[in-house]
């Protein structure tokens, strides 16, 4: 335990950076705010790596099983002897892995932003917001109880709102930030209700106690929550489903994904931070954290499986049609998060049946490197051509050799081509799906081919296709602060798959022996290669074939390009149904009936007071008259009426 005395510094350093830069950055540290932010994140990342070393190689394993270590625990609010809200830090395989991923990717984004955001008037504010986001994510992954994770969950929402809307003078950025905030708030309402349900029946908010009580099928807690039903499903199923809705909103799962493409309005490094290993994988992390409980409820796991599968497939199809490079990558993220989700859905607790869980976490790990690399590479391209549209690009490989090579590595990794990182993690997911559900495997296999196709469509459109027409006075690939993260992430995207991940992160903490099955890998690799070849034929050189293919698919292509009109459906439901049929009648009732009743009461009170205010005029002679009049009235009453 003495190894972890510094552990609180990991989230507190970004918090301190946020406070310092937020309060004093623009006035006192304007030119040094980036250096302050990078230095704090460098220390945070080094401490995270040190934590991972101590945990995985020194004292985290007991008798061959990685243990959960509570490095810090503080009782904040005590509701009863059994129920309290604690603030603490938990160390286990997934939290330690996430510490490394979040701090490392955030560090790369901080460094890249030194060059990308140079000259921005609100430079210090930008780094303050980045630090707040990093603090929120680090706090989320080390939370010891379900309410603590919810508090940081909401902080992530606030900080992402600030980052997406960083260009507050740009109407589209303001609209995008509001859209992300509102959509995820609806999902988070489900999360909160799920927390209340699970904690009410388990009589605890602590993760470990919650899992122990709700996975012991003989305990009174489990019998109580599983026997109680609502609309044909057990309360346990409802609680887990509502918690998953919160995760689906944050991870942009169908149909709560509509905020994700619009989030591209923020600065490109922000897109890398949100879409690589931080905000969008929070939902995956949440399901993984509560996975032992999910594993005892088959119906809840099926919801996770099919929502993840549908998200992966639909997003891949949409990505094939988009022309904004950041939106292509956004839908790519949605598709890959879908992979992680359905991998959790096909897994079971313990041993080899937990392969899907391990594969999901492995893919989360590798995806962090190649997806952040893709976004930062896209940022370098946008920095050069000042456009997000692929039609304004082409032939940039000679002008941007480092970006070109690193982007190619990332494309090969996400396409699942060996020996790059994505191949190893995606193979584990596909193998788990094959063993559990052939339908899921078939759709996932086809989706992997689509992934290779749309990524190399993007690659060729940027770096090949046509001759570059960029004036020589432009700044090329940018500063070394922009190139260095691309090189580091490119190395990680190439070699991260060789880490024996199954020895470190499994459902039960025990090592899981895995190996590459070359016969099984043939089909996924073949689909990936076919996707690349098709993209090569259509997009390597400028030609009319893509338009011909688009015309061939006709309505399907147009629907995919318009994102299957899901945004329009939301607008129809909100504006035509909710606003017109619910909002307007509610507003009329509020104005005419509720306000009308209050106004009527106020009017009657005013009239009555106007009539009787003379009773207290302050004139003594009037009071004397009332007094003697009252005596006369009482005398008449008692003498002549009540004899």
């Amino acid at each position: 335990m003495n190894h972890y005395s510094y552990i609180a510094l990991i989230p507190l350093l970004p918090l301190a950076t946020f406070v310092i830069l937020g309060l004093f950055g623009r006035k006192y540290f304007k030119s040094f705010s980036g250096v302050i932010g990078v230095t704090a994140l460098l220390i945070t990342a080094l401490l995270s790596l040190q934590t991972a070393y101590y945990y995985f190689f020194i004292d985290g394993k007991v008798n061959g099983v990685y243990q959960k270590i509570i490095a810090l625990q503080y009782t904040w609010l005590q509701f009863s002897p059994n129920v309290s809200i604690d603030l603490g830090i938990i160390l286990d395989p997934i939290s330690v892995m996430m510490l490394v991923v979040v701090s490392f990717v955030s560090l790369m984004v901080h460094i890249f932003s030194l060059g990308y955001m140079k000259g921005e008037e609100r430079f210090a504010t930008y780094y303050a917001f980045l630090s707040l986001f990093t603090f929120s994510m680090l706090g989320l992954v080390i939370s010891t109880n379900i309410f603590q994770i919810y508090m940081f969950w909401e902080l992530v929402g606030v900080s992402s709102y600030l980052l997406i809307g960083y260009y507050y003078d740009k109407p589209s950025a303001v609209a995008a930030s509001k859209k992300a905030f509102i959509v995820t708030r609806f999902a988070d309402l489900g999360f909160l209700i799920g927390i209340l349900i699970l904690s009410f029946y388990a009589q605890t908010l602590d993760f470990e106690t919650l899992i122990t009580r709700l996975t012991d099928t003989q305990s009174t807690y489990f019998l109580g929550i599983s026997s109680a039903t609502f609309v044909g499903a057990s309360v346990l199923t409802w609680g887990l489903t509502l918690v998953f809705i919160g995760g689906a909103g944050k991870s942009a799962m169908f149909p709560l994904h509509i905020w994700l493409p619009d989030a591209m309005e923020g600065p490109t490094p922000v897109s890398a931070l949100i879409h690589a290993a931080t905000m969008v994988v929070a939902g995956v992390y949440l399901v993984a954290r509560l996975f032992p409980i999910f594993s005892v409820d088959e119906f809840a796991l099926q919801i996770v499986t099919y929502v993840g599968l549908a998200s992966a497939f639909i997003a891949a199809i949409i990505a094939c049609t988009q022309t904004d490079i950041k939106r292509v990558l956004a839908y790519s993220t949605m598709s890959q998060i879908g992979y992680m989700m359905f991998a959790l859905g096909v897994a079971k607790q313990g041993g080899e049946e937990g392969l899907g869980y391990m594969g999901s976490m492995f893919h989360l790990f590798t995806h962090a490197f190649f997806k952040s690399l893709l976004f930062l590479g896209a940022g370098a391209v946008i920095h050069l051509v000042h456009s997000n549209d692929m039609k304004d690009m082409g032939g940039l490989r000679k002008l941007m050799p480092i970006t070109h090579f690193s982007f190619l590595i990332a494309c090969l990794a996400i396409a699942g081509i060996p020996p790059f990182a994505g191949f190893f993690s995606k193979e584990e997911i596909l193998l788990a799906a094959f063993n559990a559900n052939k339908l899921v495997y078939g759709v996932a296999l086809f989706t992997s081919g689509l992934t290779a196709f749309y990524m190399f469509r993007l690659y060729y459109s940027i770096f090949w296709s046509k001759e570059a027409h960029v004036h020589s006075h432009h700044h090329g690939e940018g500063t070394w602060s922009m190139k260095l993260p691309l090189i580091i992430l490119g190395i990680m995207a190439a070699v991260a798959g060789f880490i024996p991940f199954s020895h470190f992160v499994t459902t039960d903490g025990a090592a899981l022996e895995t190996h590459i099955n070359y016969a099984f890998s043939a089909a996924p690799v073949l689909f990936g290669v076919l996707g690349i070849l098709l993209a090569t034929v259509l997009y390597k050189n400028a030609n009319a074939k893509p338009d011909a293919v688009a015309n061939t698919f006709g309505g399907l292509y147009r629907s995919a390009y318009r994102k299957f009109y899901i945004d329009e459906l939301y607008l129809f439901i909100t504006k035509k149904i909710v606003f017109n049929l619910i909002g307007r009648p509610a507003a009329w009732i509020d104005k005419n009936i509720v306000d009308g009743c209050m106004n009527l009461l106020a009017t009657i009170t005013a009239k009555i007071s106007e009539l009787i205010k003379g009773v207290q005029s302050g004139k003594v002679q009037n009071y004397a008259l009332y007094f003697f009049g009252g005596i006369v009235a009482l005398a008449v009453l008692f003498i002549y009426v009540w004899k």
Side-chain angles (χ1 to χ4, degrees):
M1 289 295 291
N2 61 331
H3 292 316
Y4 307 112
S5 57
Y6 59 85
I7 198 77
L9 288 174
I10 293 177
L12 290 180
L13 279 171
L15 177 62
T17 305
F18 163 69
V19 173
I20 293 170
L21 295 182
L23 294 177
F24 311 111
R26 294 186 71 176
K27 187 173 182 180
Y28 298 107
F29 305 114
K30 187 171 183 180
S31 56
F32 298 105
S33 53
V35 175
I36 294 171
V38 169
T39 302
L41 254 294
L42 177 61
I43 297 171
T44 298
L46 292 174
L47 291 176
S48 298
L49 289 170
Q50 181 177 329
T51 301
Y53 171 75
Y54 281 133
Y55 181 80
F56 285 120
F57 299 106
I58 304 297
D59 58 5
K61 184 181 285 188
V62 177
N63 297 325
V65 177
Y66 284 108
Q67 306 297 308
K68 289 181 172 61
I69 298 173
I70 304 300
L72 183 69
Q73 187 83 315
Y74 167 73
T75 299
W76 180 41
L77 292 175
Q78 185 81 41
F79 296 113
S80 71
N82 297 323
V83 179
S84 65
I85 297 179
D86 300 334
L87 297 178
I89 296 176
I90 187 172
L91 298 178
D92 66 352
I94 59 171
S95 65
V96 174
M97 180 268 292
M98 287 296 291
L99 276 180
V100 172
V101 166
V102 172
S103 59
F104 181 80
V105 171
S106 183
L107 175 62
M108 295 297 104
V109 170
H110 275 68
I111 295 172
F112 186 87
S113 298
L114 288 173
Y116 189 87
M117 300 298 289
K118 185 178 180 180
E120 287 285 343
E121 182 183 353
R122 299 168 67 233
F123 189 64
T125 304
Y126 170 80
Y127 270 95
F129 290 165
L130 279 188
S131 298
L132 176 64
F133 186 94
T134 306
F135 161 71
S136 305
M137 273 305 305
L138 291 170
L140 189 154
V141 301
I142 57 178
S143 296
T144 57
N145 67 80
I146 198 168
F147 198 83
Q148 183 185 351
I149 206 174
Y150 181 76
M151 291 189 293
F152 282 105
W153 192 272
E154 294 305 306
L155 263 179
V156 168
V158 171
S159 47
S160 64
Y161 168 81
L162 295 172
L163 285 168
I164 294 168
Y166 173 77
Y167 297 120
Y168 64 90
D169 55 349
K170 189 178 175 185
S172 57
V174 174
S177 63
K178 290 192 293 186
K179 186 176 183 180
F181 190 78
I182 292 169
V183 171
T184 52
R185 290 297 70 70
F186 277 103
D188 292 351
L189 174 62
F191 183 19
L192 180 59
I193 297 172
I195 288 173
L196 296 175
I197 291 173
L198 295 180
S199 59
F200 173 78
Y201 279 92
Q203 288 297 294
T204 184
L205 294 166
D206 178 70
F207 276 126
E208 274 308 287
T209 310
L210 189 76
I211 291 170
T212 300
R213 291 178 177 177
L214 297 185
T215 54
D216 181 1
T217 55
Q218 302 304 314
S219 72
T220 55
Y221 303 100
F222 178 83
L223 294 174
I225 196 171
S226 60
S227 59
T229 60
F230 177 73
V231 197
S234 72
V235 173
L236 177 61
T237 300
W238 277 106
L240 291 173
T241 302
L242 287 165
V243 167
F244 173 66
I245 287 173
K250 198 72 81 183
S251 290
M253 293 289 93
F254 176 84
L256 297 172
H257 65 282
I258 57 170
W259 66 268
L260 189 69
D262 297 80
M264 299 296 99
E265 293 293 339
T268 304
V270 168
S271 303
L273 189 61
I274 291 176
H275 295 79
T278 52
M279 179 173 172
V280 290
V281 297
V284 179
Y285 176 80
L286 179 64
V287 176
R289 171 59 68 204
L290 293 174
F291 183 75
I293 306 177
F294 274 92
S295 66
V296 300
D297 192 296
E298 186 66 30
F299 189 72
L301 267 188
Q302 286 184 353
I303 292 174
V304 174
T305 301
Y306 290 107
V307 169
L309 186 67
S311 301
F313 181 64
I314 291 170
I317 292 177
I318 296 174
C320 293
T321 64
Q322 300 301 297
T323 57
D324 183 308
I325 63 172
K326 290 174 68 176
R327 278 176 166 75
V328 173
L329 294 177
Y331 281 107
S332 168
T333 299
M334 175 182 166
S335 183
Q336 298 305 303
I337 301 297
Y339 257 88
M340 300 173 205
M341 280 294 191
F342 78 69
L344 289 172
V346 299
K348 301 292 182 186
Q349 180 69 14
E352 293 186 359
E353 289 191 326
L355 179 64
Y357 176 95
M358 187 280 296
S360 175
M361 296 297 98
F362 194 12
H363 199 54
L364 187 157
F365 180 75
T366 59
H367 176 264
F369 301 121
F370 56 71
K371 184 51 62 68
S372 55
L373 174 56
L374 287 167
F375 269 107
L376 294 182
V381 171
I382 294 169
H383 196 248
L384 175 67
V385 301
H386 301 289
S387 173
N388 290 16
D389 201 310
M390 291 191 291
K391 295 176 182 177
D392 299 326
M393 302 170 190
L396 297 178
R397 64 190 184 281
K398 294 179 182 178
L399 291 174
M400 311 181 76
I402 294 175
T403 305
H404 168 243
F405 189 63
S406 60
F407 203 92
L408 176 59
I409 290 174
C411 288
L412 291 168
I414 197 173
I417 303 300
F420 300 96
F423 164 75
F424 296 94
S425 55
K426 195 174 284 189
E427 289 303 289
E428 304 294 2
I429 292 176
L430 290 172
L431 181 59
F434 181 81
N435 293 334
N437 188 319
K438 297 300 188 293
L439 172 63
V440 173
Y441 168 74
V443 176
L445 183 63
F446 182 69
T447 304
S448 69
L450 288 177
T451 303
F453 170 75
Y454 68 68
M455 286 310 306
F456 274 85
R457 169 181 176 263
L458 180 64
Y459 164 73
Y460 284 125
S461 298
I462 296 172
F463 297 105
W464 294 77
S465 183
K466 58 188 177 184
E467 289 300 318
H469 296 288
V470 180
H471 297 297
S472 58
H473 69 269
H474 280 255
H475 33 58
E477 290 190 276
T479 63
W480 269 104
S481 64
M482 294 173 64
K483 297 174 186 175
L484 183 62
L486 298 180
I487 295 170
I488 295 172
L489 289 169
I491 294 171
M492 294 303 298
V495 305
F498 293 102
I499 295 174
F501 197 84
S502 60
H503 291 182
F504 303 113
V505 181
T506 57
T507 56
D508 53 8
L512 180 64
E513 291 299 327
T514 59
H515 61 277
I516 297 297
N517 186 330
Y518 294 102
F520 177 82
S521 300
V525 173
L526 178 62
F527 268 79
V529 170
L530 289 175
I532 294 172
L533 290 176
L534 181 59
T536 304
V537 171
L538 294 177
Y539 297 101
K540 185 174 184 292
N541 299 307
N543 60 76
K545 294 175 185 176
D547 292 334
V549 172
N551 292 331
T552 301
F553 283 98
L556 176 61
Y557 181 88
R558 287 191 296 273
S559 297
Y561 181 75
R562 295 300 300 272
K563 298 165 280 189
F564 294 112
Y565 301 99
I566 296 172
D567 281 82
E568 287 79 359
L569 178 62
Y570 270 99
L571 288 173
F572 174 79
I573 292 172
T574 53
K575 288 189 174 182
K576 301 296 184 182
I577 298 177
V578 177
F579 291 173
N580 286 340
L581 301 184
I582 300 175
R584 291 182 187 278
W588 186 89
I589 291 170
D590 180 60
K591 183 178 179 180
N592 295 281
I593 296 179
V594 178
D595 288 354
C597 288
M598 294 300 103
N599 292 337
L600 179 62
L601 288 173
T603 302
I604 293 172
T605 303
K607 292 292 184 184
I608 294 173
S609 65
E610 184 71 28
L611 292 172
I612 66 173
K613 69 180 181 180
V615 175
Q616 292 189 347
S617 62
K619 297 178 180 180
V620 177
Q621 61 270 32
N622 287 351
Y623 295 161
L625 182 63
Y626 300 151
F627 178 74
F628 286 112
I631 292 175
V632 172
L634 288 172
V636 171
L637 183 67
F638 284 105
I639 294 172
Y640 296 103
V641 180
W642 290 350
K643 291 183 178 181

